[in-house]
Amino acid sequence: MAGFTRSRWPVVGRDGEIDDALGLLNAGSRGLIIHGEAGVGKTTLANTLLKQLSAGPDSPHLVRLRTDAAVLSTPWTVFADVLDPVGGDSASLTHALGQLLRRFSGAGPVMLHLEDAHLLDVPSATALSELIQSTNVTVLATTRSEPGPPAPLVALWRAGFLNRLDLHPLDPAIVSDLVSQFLGGAVTQECSRRMWRTTGGNPLYLRELVLALLESQALGVVDGAWSWDGTGPPGKRIVDLVRHELTGLEAPVREVVDLVALGGTMPVERLAEAVTDEALRTVLDSGLLVLDQDDRTGRGLVRITHPIHAEAIRSLILPGQRRALFHRLSVPPEGTSDLNELFHRVNWALQCGIEPEPDQLLAATRAAAEVESAALTIRMADEALRRFDDPAIAAEILILRAEAHRFDGKTDDALGDLRAARNNLEHLGATPESKSLWVRLAELTADIQQYHQDDLEQALTTLDRASRRLPARCRSLRRRLRIGRLTRLGFAGKFAMCVPEIEQMRGDQSSDHPAGVQLVPVLALGYAQQGRLHDALRVCTEALTGWREEFNAFPWVHGEIRSAWFMTCLWLGDIQAAIEPPGARHATARYDEAVSQTGSGRYQAALGQWNQAIREYRGALSRFAARDPSGMAPLAWIGLAQACAAVGADDDARAARDQYLSLATRTTRAVETDCRHSLVQVAIALGEADAHDQACRLVDWSADQGLWLGALRAAHLALCSARSADQEVLLRDLQRLASRVDGPVPTALVEHGRALVNGDPEVLSYRVKELAELGVWVPVASQRVHLTPRQWEIANLVTHGLSNRQIAERLVLSVRTVDTHVGHIFARLSVRSRADLTRALTRAR
């Protein structure tokens, strides 16, 4: 924890709000109200504005009005520093208002600053309103969302005398950046997003959470990036903040808060059965609770405003009160599948020593599995298995727990549960329920065999055996297993074996099956690797825009389709479209944060933002070190190798490449040509003697399998790394392959190759820039040039034709900073122009 203090906490992500606030203050109004929830950063923003406003020669005279609780306990005392003592009679109050008007009338520009203006009494707020309308005074005030500004200030805002700026919590990307800056290193996406979900993006709660996790050592560095192990208390300061928020609540009102903290998000009507409308309204007005709407059912829900509040509130509830409150809420209706209504109820009962209903315990286990919460599933399954001896139910619970163990990185535990489930199923007859469980057991076993044991053949054998044991009339289950077989072939890169059969199945409308949605990402990646990139986007678009309710049984597929869209767009050279897939993220879909962060690294690499790409890849790898259920870590390792090579970190590039090569047998081979392409790029950037031979072998390997996209990209690298005497022949090969691949990239690669053959430096520079705009980066050998990683990043962008202003925009730097870096790069390499820099960094052959 040493060195991580509150004073180090940075202000990140508020530049837009600062500009907006200054614009509103300079727009001719008489002041600004900064409006937002507690802890969102209103005071920090106000102080930043005051610092900037007081810097100029015409800055206003600043008068700070005290608004602490002690001062505001008596009307008018907010003005105590600028008034003589005021009595309580009407004559004294009238005299006081006159004093204020005389004090500020005719004076130069004055700015009144007051915090927590929502605490103002009505007389003081009325006096402030008179000042704003009658004198040369402007106001900068902060107010909470609940209960909001006092009526006199609201009237001024409506009349246009005052402007209002709503300050919102930070979004996930800003939280990630802020935490990364504070900790001084990469942060896993799963860690930053969990922090965002826990705090709702509230900067105050975020700061206290991070400090508490550091103190408890639940937050630490794993494989070069900060990761949260999922444990850790809310922290004493957070509990104290929440206790302060609860101070003064009457007992019936406090019980409302405690009920929702213990019971989780729940329908309003269930809570209304246990509390009065008055108490509920009081809590809602306080901002401690908020009303939501269920996306699927449209019913009203009530929840604790901040998840971190819920945890802190629960820590303040004594055991006897927990038990008493448990009996206040009605039992969730039969058939409820919402985790908050089921898990919280069961967990609450277990904490109180109350025996939960077996059916509720089973439903809670299923609900936890539905939202892919490994820890909750395992805990609920452990409790359920102690209470059920029915072999069918026990088998289902064991399969649910096995899947949770697999996603939690505990393969041996998963296999043990599967063996126990198989023993239970052996004692059952051939019932519809048992057949479905046999299929689920086979699918999970095949997942482990393929993605953890790298044994595709055994995985396929497992599915085939399961299919043979099913009667011919079980067409739906047999089709599901066939779909699973094709899916696994696709993720193993066996596109020639699976794409024709998938096309045939999709053309047979009579055999449509919800599980068929699993084939979409496989088909899309297969099409893309074969050069049919437009067809790949078409099938992704059809699936994402036509998502059906029954597809929710396969929650990971939605993310896989979006990933296929993402990669296809990058291969097409449409970088922006890659992060704008059709359709919204589905509410029930599941996304692996480490895989998502690997994609972020790939996106940053396409933009040439290599240092940011390195941070993203390291963050992903930190999480993969804890669990990697689909063997995706190698993708992050090879991406890291490429990014490190691009910034001249040669040793780090070699180390990352070695890690990739040691794990590559476990990776999904659906994008293997992309990984091998990165290997060749690394070899070229490191100046290795066999780089050209690697590129040629990749051309042959890709062409033999009909993977024309990989063959084309490898042929371009072969041309870039060839001797001048061989380039003419290689250019013809490149032209031939370009005709097999969709999109603008093939033409750009050919034109760049032609410029290399012709040797025209001006045309070559233009073609390099053209490729960079498509996200294609021509690797540059380091030539033992000593530059910092940031200088390498900027030098790469210079050699790819970007101006200093374009580089500044892309790397979120000032133009002056980029000018300085470019000057230092020129000095180190003893060059005088951008063309000289390109020649100095480009490996001559």
Side-chain angles (χ1 to χ4, degrees):
M1 169 101 184
F4 294 114
T5 61
R6 288 173 178 81
S7 60
R8 270 191 53 186
W9 191 253
V11 178
V12 175
R14 293 302 193 195
D15 291 345
E17 286 88 344
I18 292 171
D19 290 342
D20 289 344
L22 290 172
L24 292 171
L25 285 169
N26 294 325
S29 72
R30 303 307 303 275
L32 177 67
I33 299 174
I34 303 175
H35 188 71
E37 65 184 38
V40 79
K42 302 183 297 295
T43 299
T44 299
L45 178 60
N47 288 334
T48 301
L49 293 173
L50 291 172
K51 184 177 181 181
Q52 294 196 27
L53 290 169
S54 62
D58 299 325
S59 60
H61 174 64
L62 177 62
V63 177
R64 294 182 185 269
L65 303 180
R66 293 184 295 150
T67 53
D68 54 277
V71 168
L72 292 172
S73 60
T74 304
W76 286 93
T77 49
V78 66
F79 298 109
D81 291 343
V82 294
L83 281 178
D84 295 332
V86 179
D89 58 280
S90 60
S92 298
L93 297 178
T94 302
H95 176 69
L97 179 56
Q99 269 194 72
L100 287 172
L101 293 173
R102 288 192 297 275
R103 164 93 186 246
F104 294 111
S105 294
V110 174
M111 173 163 285
L112 300 180
H113 170 228
L114 66 158
E115 293 288 320
D116 296 329
H118 54 277
L119 298 176
L120 283 178
D121 58 277
V122 173
S124 298
T126 302
L128 184 60
S129 174
E130 288 289 335
L131 283 176
I132 293 170
Q133 297 178 79
S134 306
T135 66
N136 191 24
V137 165
T138 57
V139 173
L140 179 62
T142 66
T143 67
R144 284 197 184 183
S145 303
E146 297 293 343
L153 296 187
V154 172
L156 289 184
W157 166 59
R158 288 175 175 170
F161 284 95
L162 294 178
N163 283 310
R164 173 175 137 178
L165 177 68
D166 291 323
L167 194 61
H168 300 289
L170 304 174
D171 64 33
I174 298 300
V175 166
S176 177
D177 191 23
L178 192 158
V179 175
S180 178
Q181 285 195 33
F182 178 68
L183 297 175
V187 178
T188 69
Q189 189 175 93
E190 186 170 53
C191 171
S192 64
R193 285 190 177 272
R194 183 173 181 183
M195 288 179 174
W196 173 75
R197 288 191 296 268
T198 302
T199 63
N202 183 292
L204 174 62
Y205 299 140
L206 178 65
R207 183 189 70 189
E208 296 307 321
L209 175 65
V210 171
L211 291 171
L213 293 176
L214 285 167
E215 189 172 0
S216 68
Q217 298 184 334
L219 184 64
V221 178
V222 179
D223 280 0
W226 289 90
S227 182
W228 181 3
D229 66 9
T231 64
K236 182 179 184 303
R237 279 180 60 92
I238 291 175
V239 173
D240 288 344
L241 286 169
V242 174
R243 183 185 284 113
H244 176 72
E245 294 287 329
L246 299 175
T247 300
L249 293 182
E250 296 180 357
V253 178
R254 173 64 187 271
E255 286 179 353
V256 177
V257 179
D258 291 349
L259 280 168
V260 179
L262 291 167
T265 301
M266 66 181 71
V268 177
E269 59 267 21
R270 281 196 64 225
L271 183 62
E273 294 173 0
V275 303
T276 65
D277 287 350
E278 182 181 357
L280 178 57
R281 173 53 56 191
T282 300
V283 179
L284 291 171
D285 288 344
S286 73
L288 288 168
L289 297 186
V290 66
L291 289 176
D292 274 341
Q293 190 175 53
D294 190 295
D295 291 334
R296 288 179 288 181
T297 65
R299 65 179 178 174
L301 302 174
V302 62
R303 63 173 174 84
I304 298 289
T305 302
H306 288 291
I308 202 168
H309 274 192
E311 189 173 354
I313 292 168
R314 286 193 291 269
S315 72
L316 296 171
I317 304 173
L318 298 176
Q321 179 71 351
R322 284 176 181 256
R323 179 182 287 270
L325 290 172
F326 180 84
H327 296 290
R328 290 274 299 276
L329 280 180
S330 62
V331 177
E334 187 176 350
T336 297
S337 60
D338 184 84
L339 175 66
N340 287 298
E341 292 188 67
L342 292 168
F343 168 73
H344 282 91
R345 179 79 180 182
V346 172
N347 188 49
W348 189 356
L350 293 172
Q351 289 177 346
C352 296
I354 299 171
E355 183 68 18
E357 292 292 331
D359 289 346
Q360 283 195 343
L361 188 53
L362 176 60
T365 307
R366 290 168 175 164
E370 276 188 26
V371 297
E372 304 291 345
S373 176
L376 299 186
T377 303
I378 292 169
R379 181 177 179 186
M380 290 295 99
D382 290 346
E383 296 291 344
L385 287 171
R386 296 190 185 103
R387 293 164 173 83
F388 285 101
D389 54 11
D390 182 286
I393 294 177
E396 179 189 357
I397 295 171
L398 285 164
I399 291 171
L400 292 174
R401 192 172 69 176
E403 187 169 27
H405 280 314
R406 184 176 92 82
F407 279 104
D408 206 31
K410 300 173 182 176
T411 309
D412 290 341
D413 289 340
L415 290 171
D417 279 346
L418 291 177
R419 284 192 294 270
R422 185 177 294 106
N423 290 336
N424 277 278
L425 291 176
E426 294 287 357
H427 293 88
L428 295 175
T431 65
E433 183 182 29
S434 68
K435 294 169 189 173
S436 178
L437 289 173
W438 274 113
V439 170
R440 290 172 62 186
L441 187 147
E443 289 173 332
L444 185 52
T445 302
D447 283 341
I448 293 174
Q449 290 166 337
Q450 179 168 0
Y451 301 121
H452 297 266
Q453 299 172 345
D454 194 39
D455 194 340
L456 173 65
E457 293 305 318
Q458 188 58 48
L460 298 178
T461 298
T462 296
L463 297 181
D464 290 342
R465 285 174 179 168
S467 182
R468 285 196 298 270
R469 75 180 297 153
L470 290 171
R473 64 179 181 275
C474 295
R475 288 189 294 271
S476 180
L477 289 176
R478 290 168 68 92
R479 182 171 176 80
R480 175 169 170 168
L481 288 169
R482 181 187 177 195
I483 289 170
R485 190 178 196 281
L486 292 171
T487 300
R488 284 166 176 76
L489 284 170
F491 283 122
K494 308 290 187 181
F495 296 120
M497 296 174 63
C498 68
V499 166
E501 188 173 350
I502 293 174
E503 289 178 320
Q504 181 184 1
M505 288 185 70
R506 284 169 59 86
D508 183 4
Q509 297 297 326
S510 63
S511 57
D512 186 33
H513 190 290
V517 73
Q518 298 176 95
L519 298 173
V520 173
V522 170
L523 183 62
L525 289 172
Y527 280 161
Q529 291 291 299
Q530 293 171 354
R532 300 167 58 184
L533 293 123
H534 295 315
D535 285 338
L537 291 187
R538 174 180 54 78
V539 296
C540 288
T541 301
E542 290 172 354
L544 292 174
T545 57
W547 192 263
R548 306 201 306 262
E549 185 70 24
E550 56 264 39
F551 295 161
N552 295 337
F554 309 95
W556 289 100
V557 176
H558 197 272
E560 292 169 356
I561 297 173
R562 289 170 67 97
S563 295
W565 167 278
F566 172 82
M567 291 302 300
T568 302
C569 286
L570 290 185
W571 292 327
L572 267 171
D574 195 342
I575 304 173
Q576 187 58 37
I579 56 173
E580 297 176 350
R585 288 171 73 104
H586 202 270
T588 61
R590 299 289 171 261
Y591 304 90
D592 188 305
E593 298 289 4
V595 174
S596 177
Q597 192 163 16
T598 301
S600 295
R602 186 70 171 77
Y603 174 72
Q604 299 296 337
L607 293 174
Q609 298 178 2
W610 298 108
N611 287 304
Q612 181 61 32
I614 289 172
R615 287 190 287 272
E616 298 290 353
Y617 287 133
R618 289 200 182 282
L621 287 165
S622 178
R623 189 55 194 156
F624 280 137
R627 64 174 181 83
D628 182 15
S630 299
M632 299 292 283
L635 301 183
W637 279 117
I638 190 57
L640 179 62
Q642 180 195 31
C644 288
V647 298
D650 293 0
D651 290 342
D652 288 342
R654 292 188 183 93
R657 180 178 60 183
D658 289 345
Q659 286 289 339
Y660 166 78
L661 292 172
S662 69
L663 297 172
T665 54
R666 290 185 57 238
T667 190
T668 171
R669 294 181 178 85
V671 290
E672 187 172 7
T673 57
D674 198 69
C675 295
R676 293 193 178 201
H677 180 265
S678 296
L679 279 175
V680 179
Q681 286 186 311
V682 171
I684 293 174
L686 295 177
E688 294 177 344
D690 68 339
H692 176 69
D693 291 338
Q694 288 185 43
C696 292
R697 287 196 296 271
L698 180 54
V699 174
D700 294 339
W701 179 84
S702 300
D704 286 346
Q705 300 182 69
L707 305 177
W708 304 114
L709 175 66
L712 170 70
R713 299 169 77 215
H716 177 253
L717 292 181
L719 177 59
C720 291
S721 57
R723 297 177 303 170
S724 299
D726 299 330
Q727 288 182 333
E728 189 80 45
V729 174
L730 292 171
L731 177 59
R732 289 196 292 272
D733 293 338
L734 185 65
Q735 291 172 314
R736 175 177 52 81
L737 290 169
S739 65
R740 291 179 171 269
V741 179
D742 295 339
V745 171
T747 300
L749 292 175
V750 169
E751 293 303 325
H752 176 256
R754 184 175 288 112
L756 277 174
V757 171
N758 294 336
D760 186 325
E762 295 297 328
V763 175
L764 182 60
S765 177
Y766 175 81
R767 296 305 181 189
V768 167
K769 180 180 179 181
E770 186 177 51
L771 286 174
E773 291 172 348
L774 295 169
V776 179
W777 297 86
V778 180
V780 177
S782 67
Q783 294 287 312
R784 298 187 180 181
V785 172
H786 298 292
L787 298 175
T788 67
R790 175 63 88 183
Q791 288 172 338
W792 261 112
E793 186 172 47
I794 290 175
N796 267 307
L797 294 171
V798 170
T799 61
H800 283 81
L802 275 69
S803 67
N804 285 9
R805 179 169 296 279
Q806 290 172 321
I807 294 171
E809 292 173 353
R810 183 162 293 192
L811 300 182
V812 196
L813 300 171
S814 69
V815 177
R816 180 176 297 180
T817 298
V818 175
D819 291 342
T820 301
H821 277 303
V822 171
H824 289 163
I825 293 168
F826 280 15
R828 283 198 177 191
L829 300 185
S830 300
V831 299
R832 296 183 178 181
S833 69
R834 302 170 91 82
D836 290 341
L837 174 63
T838 300
R839 283 191 287 272
L841 293 179
T842 303
R843 182 176 176 81
R845 285 188 179 271

